[in-house]
Amino acid sequence: MAHSPEQHEFEGDRIVVLDFGAQYSQLIARRIREQGVYCEIQPGTIDAESLRARKPVGIVLSGGPSSVLDAAAPHFDRAVLDLGCPVLGICYGLQLLAHHLGGLVETADDREYGRALLKIERDDPLFADLEGGVERVTWMSHGDRVLRLPESFEALATSNGSPFAAVRDRDRPIWGVQFHPEVVHTDGGTAMLRNFALGICRARASWSMDSFIEDAIARIREQVGDGRVICGLSGGVDSSVAATLVHQAVGDQLTCIFVDNGLLRANEREEVEQLFDKVLDHQLVTVDARDRFLSELAGIEDPERKRKTIGRVFIEVFQEEADRLGGADFLVQGTLYPDVIESVSVKGQSVTIKTHHNVGGLPDEMRLELVEPLRELFKDEVREVGRKLGLPESAIGRHPFPGPGLAVRIIADVTAARLEAVRAADAIVTQEIRRAGLYDQMWQGFAVFLPIQTVGVMGDERTYDNVIAVRCVTSVDAMTADWARLPDEVLASISSRIINEVKGINRVVYDISSKPPATIEWE
């Protein structure tokens, strides 16, 4: 039966991110992994001796929603700064350094959020070989500020809102920046993290997706043992890659269950069955649960209740099907880090944004143990894993689709008529952006059903029908996103087709909100 999973340690150099609850902690780790350096996240409250046992060659102190001035701020072991390896504090991390090393931090009268101009005042290894001169755009997000540096520190860069936008300790290898180098909005931010990892920490670039796959397969085999495994295959990138990875690890111990919940995109069931019947050696079972999900969702408008209801019914269906197949011990899910960080605090004190059905929507008591091999990865990393596993581009390159499906693209209770409308509109959006050659240039493009009736005119008749919102965004990792600037003719074609072809729709609007402050999905 199942074994307790052991830690399969990566034996190369590692940098550890101490997470104080930042939404971007995993993004820091990912940027460092992009440099070929293994990076992991540990709680910001970890004690120095436990951290020493991890043998880091560098430490990053993340941002976070707390203030170092609050009595309830996360505990920090000051001895972490005495381990001898280089330290980089980011945002809250900089304030933490100042607070613990004799500087002064205060609540700022004018908070600094969004884009800010950084001016580099002195040369430093952190800024080595940056292109574009001494001034660059960075991304700020802080309410506190450092009023006075610790005695041994010096300023490296300033911004309009901070005389200490970047600092370093003259005596020890400790750096701090007030901005967020990990986000795409910071010009040269990735280069700064590369300078820290490869230059300052002198880490060896020995981490890759190949090594991740090797490690993941070993962990899956250790966790599963000779147990039976089922996978909730949705046809999306995440579950497809997770299923393929687990299949490589345990072979015919895995049975994939595709649940047609009635909340899928157009033609999704047929596409999934055609692809994975081959990939999984015919170990795919399809369950038609459309009526069951629609019945359970009847009358529910609150998005959190929708997600939790869908999560509960999914697990019920999986368990029933597992029993029918002769029993199972494990459930594979394609959970990614953005799902985790927006749902629950896993390694730090992050704030819940919304519950994802495959994270926060699971019941408290569940008979199946979860296997989540992609839990620490972002979408583009998952796609790279999928390519290395041999999945076709048609499966890997698909736009993300929420676990709760079209239920959270209906801003109302879910009905068959609304599902039919949003599914048809969504298919039109996809067809038109593909026809314009824009599909691969954006992160996501989809339709949202709004239960708002507006007056329209069709022929000589007055109509009073619903609204479809179109949402298209560009992004690298879904932690931040910007609305896609679609050409006028593409928007016109999308609008015209939806109004003419989708029954009950007489108006189309385009969502021009970025993330933050909005999320990509409406619910």
Side-chain angles (χ1 to χ4, degrees):
M1 292 301 295
H3 300 167
S4 299
E6 297 178 359
Q7 180 70 35
H8 292 267
E9 295 290 353
F10 179 71
E11 296 183 357
D13 290 344
R14 77 180 64 215
I15 290 176
V16 175
V17 175
L18 298 191
D19 179 15
F20 293 96
Q23 296 295 334
Y24 299 143
S25 290
Q26 183 71 9
L27 190 50
I28 300 170
R30 182 180 151 244
R31 293 284 183 252
I32 293 173
R33 290 201 301 260
E34 286 174 349
Q35 312 312 314
V37 177
Y38 178 69
C39 188
E40 67 182 30
I41 296 178
Q42 295 292 335
T45 55
I46 191 173
D47 64 88
E49 285 308 306
S50 296
L51 184 56
R52 186 194 303 275
R54 308 301 302 150
K55 299 180 181 179
V57 298
I59 299 169
V60 179
L61 310 179
S62 83
S66 301
S67 167
V68 296
L69 304 176
D70 291 343
H75 169 73
F76 174 65
D77 186 350
R78 162 69 176 71
V80 163
L81 304 179
D82 299 323
L83 294 180
C85 61
V87 175
L88 173 64
I90 295 176
C91 194
Y92 177 89
L94 165 62
Q95 296 157 17
L96 197 69
L97 290 171
H99 182 67
H100 282 275
L101 295 176
L104 181 63
V105 178
E106 67 169 3
T107 300
D109 293 330
D110 298 319
R111 299 186 176 190
E112 196 172 19
Y113 292 107
R115 289 175 172 84
L117 188 65
L118 181 80
K119 184 176 181 181
I120 298 174
E121 303 288 354
R122 69 175 68 219
D123 292 335
D124 188 84
L126 190 65
F127 303 133
D129 301 321
L130 291 187
E131 299 178 355
V134 297
E135 292 189 349
R136 61 195 55 248
V137 172
T138 60
W139 188 263
M140 297 280 189
S141 181
H142 63 99
D144 291 348
R145 67 177 180 180
V146 177
L147 185 64
R148 186 185 68 240
L149 289 177
E151 185 175 345
S152 61
F153 276 65
E154 61 184 3
L156 302 175
T158 61
S159 72
N160 293 336
S162 175
F164 308 122
V167 303
R168 72 164 296 177
D169 190 326
R170 289 186 294 267
D171 301 329
R172 294 186 294 173
I174 298 177
W175 282 258
V177 294
Q178 187 60 74
F179 56 90
H180 288 271
E182 70 274 18
V183 302
V184 295
H185 308 292
T186 293
D187 179 19
T190 298
M192 296 176 200
L193 291 175
R194 179 169 59 247
N195 286 337
F196 178 72
L198 300 179
I200 293 171
C201 298
R202 297 185 179 181
R204 293 169 294 172
S206 54
W207 167 255
S208 68
M209 283 300 101
D210 288 320
S211 59
F212 167 81
I213 292 170
E214 181 180 350
D215 179 70
I217 288 175
R219 283 187 284 111
I220 292 165
R221 288 172 176 165
E222 184 66 31
Q223 180 183 4
V224 169
D226 59 1
R228 295 291 303 171
V229 189
I230 58 174
C231 174
L233 186 63
S234 71
V237 177
D238 310 336
S239 68
S240 298
V241 173
T244 307
L245 186 60
V246 174
H247 186 257
Q248 288 208 4
V250 299
D252 61 8
Q253 292 173 245
L254 170 71
T255 299
C256 285
I257 300 173
F258 175 70
V259 177
D260 185 351
N261 58 12
L263 309 174
L264 306 173
R265 289 173 282 199
N267 304 316
E268 188 122 32
R269 176 171 174 170
E270 295 80 3
E271 292 173 3
V272 169
E273 289 177 333
Q274 289 174 9
L275 172 62
F276 284 97
D277 191 50
K278 299 177 182 178
V279 171
L280 301 172
D281 297 330
H282 309 292
Q283 294 170 253
L284 175 65
V285 176
T286 299
V287 180
D288 190 338
R290 289 174 291 182
D291 292 342
R292 181 170 176 175
F293 275 85
L294 197 58
S295 174
E296 293 277 2
L297 288 168
I300 299 177
E301 296 186 9
D302 179 72
E304 284 294 280
R305 282 191 63 201
K306 286 182 189 176
R307 291 175 183 275
K308 291 185 177 182
T309 297
I310 292 166
R312 173 179 58 79
V313 178
F314 259 121
I315 296 301
E316 290 173 358
V317 172
F318 289 150
Q319 190 66 66
E320 291 166 8
E321 190 62 25
D323 292 342
R324 190 188 69 79
L325 293 170
D329 308 293
F330 298 90
L331 170 64
V332 178
Q333 290 203 134
T335 307
L336 304 193
Y337 184 76
D339 298 333
V340 174
I341 198 65
E342 288 190 347
S343 295
V344 287
S345 179
V346 177
K347 301 196 179 198
Q349 297 79 27
S350 58
V351 176
T352 298
I353 306 298
K354 60 187 176 185
T355 298
H356 290 257
H357 89 278
N358 56 347
V359 184
L362 296 177
D364 293 333
E365 294 184 7
M366 191 173 65
R367 290 157 55 194
L368 300 173
E369 182 178 332
L370 289 180
V371 178
E372 297 178 307
L374 310 177
R375 191 178 176 90
E376 298 292 333
L377 299 185
F378 281 84
K379 183 77 72 173
D380 55 332
E381 293 177 308
V382 172
R383 287 192 171 109
E384 185 180 349
V385 171
R387 290 186 182 98
K388 290 184 177 296
L389 293 174
L391 283 173
E393 197 63 33
S394 59
I396 294 171
R398 300 185 73 188
H399 284 179
F401 188 61
L406 296 177
V408 291
R409 292 182 180 172
I410 297 173
I411 315 302
D413 59 314
V414 179
T415 67
R418 287 168 176 169
L419 280 168
E420 184 178 352
V422 75
R423 183 179 291 115
D426 184 77
I428 289 170
V429 173
T430 299
Q431 290 163 11
E432 290 302 314
I433 60 178
R434 281 192 183 279
R435 182 175 290 119
L438 300 173
Y439 187 87
D440 293 332
Q441 297 178 27
M442 65 181 63
W443 180 266
Q444 229 167 324
F446 57 91
V448 180
F449 180 94
L450 306 183
I452 302 169
Q453 290 183 295
T454 69
V455 175
V457 178
M458 290 187 178
D460 295 324
E461 297 185 5
R462 174 187 184 273
T463 62
Y464 194 54
D465 286 328
N466 292 106
V467 179
I468 286 288
V470 175
R471 177 76 158 145
C472 295
V473 299
T474 58
S475 181
V476 174
D477 44 49
M479 298 304 287
T480 61
D482 198 7
W483 60 278
R485 274 64 170 175
L486 295 185
D488 292 348
E489 60 271 19
V490 176
L491 287 172
S493 181
I494 290 173
S495 176
S496 176
R497 285 194 59 194
I498 289 175
I499 292 172
N500 286 324
E501 299 175 26
V502 182
K503 184 179 179 181
I505 304 299
N506 69 353
R507 191 176 299 271
V508 173
V509 298
Y510 190 56
D511 183 346
I512 58 170
S513 309
S514 63
K515 177 186 179 179
T519 54
I520 295 176
E521 297 285 347
W522 280 45
E523 288 192 341

